[in-house]
Amino acid sequence: MNTPRPPRSTDAHPVDERDWLAQERALPDPSGDRRDAVLARALRTMPVSRPPADFAAEVARLAAAGFSTRTAFSDAPVYGGKSWLSVATVQTGVRIETPSLYDEMEPSAARLGTITNFFKSQGYRTVSLQPGNYRNDMRFPDPYARDRQYAFKDLRYNGPAYGYVGVPDQHSLRVFTEDVLSQERGPTFMFYLSISTHHPFPSIPFEGGGPWPSIPGVEAIPADGAHRAYFNTVEYEWRCLLEFIDRVADDDAVFFIIGDHQPLLERTMDDVQELTVLQSSNTPVHVISRNAAFLQRFEKYGFQPGLAPPPGTGGLRHEGLASLFVHEFVGQFGGEAQQRHTQYYPDGIGLGGLVAPASRDVGAGSERDGAQEQQGR
Amino acid sequence: MPAPPDRAEDTLQADRALVAAVLAGAPGAFERLVRDYQGLCWHVIDRMVRHPEDTRELCQEAFLRVHQALHQYRGESALKSWIAQVAYSVARRHLEKKRIPIADTVGDDDGPSLVESVGDGFDLEAETAEGESVALLHAAIERLPPLQRTLLSLYHLEELPIGEISRITGLAEGTIKSHLFRSRKQLRGLLEPTLGVFAA
C-alpha cells in the first residue's frame, strides 16, 4: 500500500495548460467576473459531513479485537487428489509424492520430526480432528495424533449426509470445540483436516451467522456447474473457520491454514492438453493472528496482507512450511536465542527426515544431531 | 499549497512517531491516529459514495486496513496522503462492485448538462441572489460523478496540491486538471442565466 503506482491517464483530450492557468487565476480574483467569484465561494464552502463523535473510539476497539492475515502460495506435492500425501509432506517436511513413500513413512510417523511432535516436545497438548477418517481401514488414520484425536465416529452426526463423508465441517468443529477444546486448559496444538470442500463439492447450508459479504469476482463464475459448486464449498468452509476462530481464539491464538491441493479441473478429451498445462499445484497458505509483529515476520518470505494476494505470491513449497512456521513461531514467542536452534528449510529436509530416532522427542525444523544434519538438513 | 520544507519534515517526523507508537501497541495511539485523520478519510469516502451508512462502514474498513498494513508505512510521504489513498481505494472498489461509474469520460466536451440535472426545484431566472446561486452550485456538485466531486473537494476544501491528489487517486496530474477544469466550467455555465447580466 506504500508502493508508488504509476499514475493512470484516462485523459483523451487533456486541458490546454493556458486554459487551466486562466481558470485558476480567474477564480480567486475579486475584481474579475462575478460568476467566478460565486463559483470560488461555492467551492470553498461545499457542505461536508463529519464522522460521529465516537467514531475513533469505535474503530480503535474493532482494530484491537480483530485478527489480521498474511497469505502466500505454496507448491503442493499433488493435485486433484491424494490429499494424505500433501498432509504428510507438510507434517514431515519431506516431499511425499507417492503412496509407496507414504507407506514407508506411516509406521514411524509418531516418532518423526513432525509439526505435531514439535509442539508435543514443547509441552503442548496435541489434539486432532479428522472428520474424514470414517473407517478403521481408511488410508489415513491420524498418524500424527499424540494426545487425543476425534474422527467421524466421535462426532455423533445424525443429520442429512453431505458430500464425501456426510458430516458437515460446521458440526464437526462445534462438537470438537465443546468436547475437546473446552476441556483443555494449557497450551494446545490442534491439527484439523477439513472435509467439506472435498469432491463432489456438496451444497451445505451454514447454520446461523449474519450476512456474508459478496466476494469480489464471484460474478465471473458461472452460476451452475462444478466451478460454482467448488467456490460455494470454499465459502462455506471459511464461514466455518471464522465461526470457529471467533469461538475459541484468545489473544495468543495463531492459525496456520494450508490448502492440501487444487481440485481436478473439469476436462474433456478435446481440452485435455490445454487443461493439463493450466492445472496448478499451487495452494494458498494463510497465517492468522492478532499479533502484528508475528505476522510481519512472514513478509520476508513473500506473504502479503489479506486472503487473496496475486497469483504466484510467495513461491513456497509444502515440504518447507513446517520448518518455516516453527522457525518464526519460536522467533516470535521464544526469542532469538531459542530461534537459533531452529532453521527454515525451503525445500524440506530430504528423505532423511523419514528416519525416526530411537527415542526422545523431536521437532519440525529443530536442531538435530550431526547424523541427521547430514541427512539433508 | 504544499507545506514548506521544514514544516513538511516536522510533519513526517510526527507521522513516524505516531506510527511507531501504534506498532508498539501504545495505549490510545491508534485511536489518536484515527482521530487525527478521520475527517479527511470520511470526507473522501463521503464524496465518493454519498450514502451515510456506507460512508461509516467504508471509513471503518479503511482504518482497519490502515491498521493492518501500518507496518508497511515507510514514513517517506505524509501519513495523511497514505490514509487518503486507502480511503479513496476502498470507496472506488465499493462503487465498482455496485457498478456505479465513478467518472464521466474526460474529453467529450462538457458531458451531460448540469442545468438539466439540477433544474428541478430551481427557478434559474428568479434566483439571482448570490447565496442562492451558491446553493445552486452545491446542488450541482452533488450531481457530479463521484470522481469529479471528490477531486473538487480534495483541491478546494482540503487544499491538496495536484501532485498529492495524483498520489491519492493514482490518476495522472493532467487527468486531474482536466476533470477539475471541465467540472468548474460546467458549474460556471450554470450561472450565466442569472449572474451573467450582472457581470456584463
Side-chain angles (χ1 to χ4, degrees):
Chain A
M1 293 165 81
N2 208 21
T3 307
R5 298 164 293 169
R8 284 180 292 124
S9 175
T10 56
D11 196 357
H13 304 281
V15 61
D16 187 288
E17 188 66 15
R18 281 169 302 185
D19 292 341
W20 163 257
L21 289 174
Q23 194 187 55
E24 283 283 279
R25 278 193 293 268
L27 279 174
D29 181 0
S31 62
D33 191 314
R34 192 174 163 205
R35 287 169 294 186
D36 291 319
V38 171
L39 176 58
R41 184 181 150 198
L43 291 170
R44 278 197 316 271
T45 59
M46 281 184 270
V48 291
S49 69
R50 301 277 175 207
D54 62 347
F55 181 76
E58 184 187 343
V59 173
R61 185 184 55 75
L62 287 172
F67 282 89
S68 293
T69 62
R70 295 293 182 276
T71 300
F73 287 98
S74 178
D75 182 50
V78 290
Y79 63 82
K82 298 189 180 71
S83 56
W84 67 92
L85 303 183
S86 187
V87 173
T89 295
V90 171
Q91 273 279 3
T92 62
V94 179
R95 194 169 181 88
I96 297 177
E97 295 175 300
T98 62
S100 59
L101 190 55
Y102 179 89
D103 290 343
E104 277 187 45
M105 179 279 297
E106 187 181 343
S108 55
R111 289 180 290 124
L112 295 177
T114 62
I115 192 164
T116 299
N117 277 337
F118 166 77
F119 282 96
K120 179 69 181 169
S121 73
Q122 301 300 308
Y124 283 66
R125 286 271 295 170
T126 59
V127 297
S128 138
L129 172 59
Q130 286 202 34
N133 180 6
Y134 68 103
R135 278 170 17 202
N136 288 336
D137 61 348
M138 197 156 185
R139 176 159 290 280
F140 40 98
D142 187 353
Y144 319 105
R146 293 295 296 266
D147 293 322
R148 192 163 181 192
Q149 60 175 308
Y150 251 45
F152 178 83
K153 63 181 169 47
D154 304 303
L155 296 170
R156 307 183 303 279
Y157 181 67
N158 297 312
Y162 292 104
Y164 185 50
V165 298
V167 58
D169 279 342
Q170 187 180 23
H171 173 86
S172 303
L173 286 166
R174 284 179 173 181
V175 170
F176 191 74
T177 301
E178 183 64 27
D179 288 4
V180 179
L181 295 181
S182 64
Q183 313 299 320
E184 300 292 343
R185 291 291 175 263
T188 305
F189 173 79
M190 174 184 171
F191 177 58
Y192 165 49
L193 292 179
S194 67
I195 198 68
S196 289
T197 56
H198 197 287
H199 190 268
F201 313 138
S203 176
I204 312 175
F206 185 84
E207 291 179 8
W212 187 250
S214 168
I215 296 177
V218 66
E219 316 81 46
I221 304 174
D224 296 316
H227 291 89
R228 174 64 73 156
Y230 176 63
F231 173 85
N232 289 342
T233 64
V234 173
E235 182 176 292
Y236 169 81
E237 192 66 47
W238 271 111
R239 298 191 75 169
C240 297
L241 290 171
L242 293 179
E243 178 186 77
F244 174 74
I245 288 171
D246 190 45
R247 287 183 178 195
V248 306
D250 58 19
D251 284 350
D252 298 326
V254 167
F255 299 87
F256 203 46
I257 300 175
I258 304 168
D260 53 2
H261 57 75
Q262 291 285 350
L264 199 61
L265 287 174
E266 289 177 302
R267 53 185 58 177
T268 65
M269 287 312 291
D270 293 334
D271 62 10
V272 65
Q273 190 170 357
E274 182 190 354
L275 287 180
T276 301
V277 173
L278 289 173
Q279 180 77 61
S280 166
S281 54
N282 268 331
T283 70
V285 178
H286 311 285
V287 188
I288 301 179
S289 169
R290 283 192 173 105
N291 189 317
F294 176 62
L295 291 175
Q296 193 171 355
R297 288 173 166 271
F298 289 86
E299 292 179 0
K300 56 181 175 285
Y301 306 104
F303 282 75
Q304 291 191 15
L307 292 171
T313 297
L316 308 169
R317 293 173 68 84
H318 271 39
E319 55 270 36
L321 294 178
S323 62
L324 167 61
F325 181 57
V326 165
H327 185 62
E328 294 306 337
F329 186 89
V330 171
Q332 179 65 35
F333 302 106
E336 280 185 28
Q338 291 296 318
Q339 193 185 29
R340 280 196 287 274
H341 295 288
T342 70
Q343 194 170 332
Y344 169 41
Y345 300 95
D347 298 320
I349 57 174
L351 290 175
L354 299 185
V355 178
S359 63
R360 84 181 174 89
D361 282 330
V362 290
S366 61
E367 196 172 57
R368 307 291 185 84
D369 58 32
Q372 283 176 316
E373 286 288 333
Q374 291 167 11
Q375 289 166 351
R377 291 228 168 197
Chain B
M1 292 291 290
D6 286 353
R7 208 173 127 205
E9 187 51 38
D10 289 349
T11 303
L12 280 181
Q13 280 190 7
D15 285 347
R16 290 185 203 120
L18 180 56
V19 168
V22 175
L23 291 176
F30 185 63
E31 188 175 335
R32 202 186 114 207
L33 182 149
V34 176
R35 191 164 290 118
D36 285 355
Y37 295 107
Q38 61 182 359
L40 174 63
C41 183
W42 190 276
H43 190 175
V44 168
I45 291 173
D46 183 52
R47 281 283 175 238
M48 288 286 278
V49 305
R50 301 307 289 151
H51 185 286
E53 278 309 305
D54 286 351
T55 296
R56 186 186 180 107
E57 278 186 24
L58 294 170
C59 204
Q60 271 181 4
E61 181 185 337
F63 274 112
L64 291 175
R65 283 175 186 268
V66 164
H67 185 262
Q68 191 176 0
L70 200 57
H71 60 278
Q72 294 177 356
Y73 174 70
R74 307 286 176 227
E76 292 158 3
S77 60
L79 189 56
K80 174 181 176 181
S81 302
W82 193 65
I83 291 173
Q85 188 181 327
V86 175
Y88 176 78
S89 157
V90 165
R92 197 190 65 206
R93 268 206 300 272
H94 173 81
L95 294 176
E96 286 169 352
K97 253 188 344 196
K98 294 193 152 198
R99 300 185 190 282
I100 297 172
I102 67 165
D104 279 344
T105 306
V106 173
D108 297 334
D109 293 328
D110 297 330
S113 165
L114 277 176
V115 176
E116 289 167 17
S117 62
V118 300
D120 295 345
F122 282 92
D123 180 350
L124 293 181
E125 297 212 359
E127 306 295 352
T128 53
E130 186 172 305
E132 287 163 343
S133 298
V134 168
L136 165 72
L137 290 177
H138 287 164
I141 290 168
E142 285 298 297
R143 284 166 172 79
L144 285 171
L147 179 63
Q148 276 92 329
R149 63 178 178 244
T150 303
L151 293 177
L152 285 175
S153 271
L154 290 175
Y155 191 65
H156 289 284
L157 278 184
E158 296 291 339
E159 298 184 337
L160 297 179
I162 298 288
E164 199 161 343
I165 297 174
S166 171
R167 278 194 292 280
I168 290 168
T169 59
L171 295 171
E173 294 190 10
T175 303
I176 293 168
K177 285 182 180 177
S178 289
H179 281 304
L180 288 172
F181 179 82
R182 290 185 167 84
S183 300
R184 296 187 308 205
K185 191 175 165 196
Q186 274 186 286
L187 293 168
R188 190 180 186 277
L190 288 176
L191 299 173
E192 296 201 53
T194 54
L195 293 181
V197 289
F198 300 106

